[in-house]
């Protein structure tokens, strides 16, 4: 289970990466040498059973009457506890 929060990091030249961040560490863009600045925390906030961010391509309907969007890598719906069918890729 991922316990670390992922952040969106941005360099001056607007290059962005997403990664887990250790407090007090400095992250530098390997290509430009620019220092990254954290511009936002990624949803879902840690700790979450899912590795995937809440973006449309990573979500599907769980299929129950609650009609909640759940992340593709989850085995069980976090809203109703229903077992989710395997993802077809
Ligand atoms: Zn559900």
């Amino acid at each position: 289970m991922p316990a670390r929060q992922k952040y969106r990091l941005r360099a001056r030249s607007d290059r962005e990466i997403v990664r887990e961040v250790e407090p007090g560490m400095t992250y530098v863009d390997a290509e430009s040498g620019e220092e990254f600045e954290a511009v936002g925390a990624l949803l879902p906030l840690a700790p979450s059973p899912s590795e995937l961010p809440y973006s449309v391509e990573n979500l599907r309907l769980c299929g129950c009457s609650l009609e909640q969007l759940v992340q593709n890598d989850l085995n069980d719906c976090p809203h109703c506890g229903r077992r989710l069918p395997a993802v077809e890729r």
Side-chain angles (χ1 to χ4, degrees):
M1 190 178 281
R4 286 232 171 74
Q5 178 60 47
K6 286 198 175 100
Y7 287 88
R8 184 178 301 279
L9 303 179
R10 187 180 296 156
R12 262 194 315 262
S13 56
D14 276 350
R15 272 171 52 81
E16 285 192 356
I17 59 164
V18 169
R19 62 161 296 154
E20 294 170 5
V21 168
E22 296 268 9
M25 283 282 291
T26 301
Y27 296 94
V28 173
D29 183 2
E31 267 180 36
S32 66
E34 295 167 339
E35 208 171 289
F36 279 118
E37 194 183 329
V39 290
L42 236 68
L43 292 172
L45 297 177
S48 156
S50 175
E51 289 276 12
L52 297 175
Y54 275 99
S55 56
V56 167
E57 61 271 22
N58 290 334
L59 298 174
R60 57 176 167 160
L61 282 170
C62 88
C64 74
S65 58
L66 300 175
E67 296 190 342
Q68 295 295 312
L69 288 169
V70 299
Q71 289 150 307
N72 278 333
D73 65 338
L74 294 178
N75 293 323
D76 302 289
C77 172
H79 305 285
C80 66
R82 184 175 169 270
R83 186 84 185 164
L84 296 165
V87 181
E88 289 162 40
R89 294 179 193 274

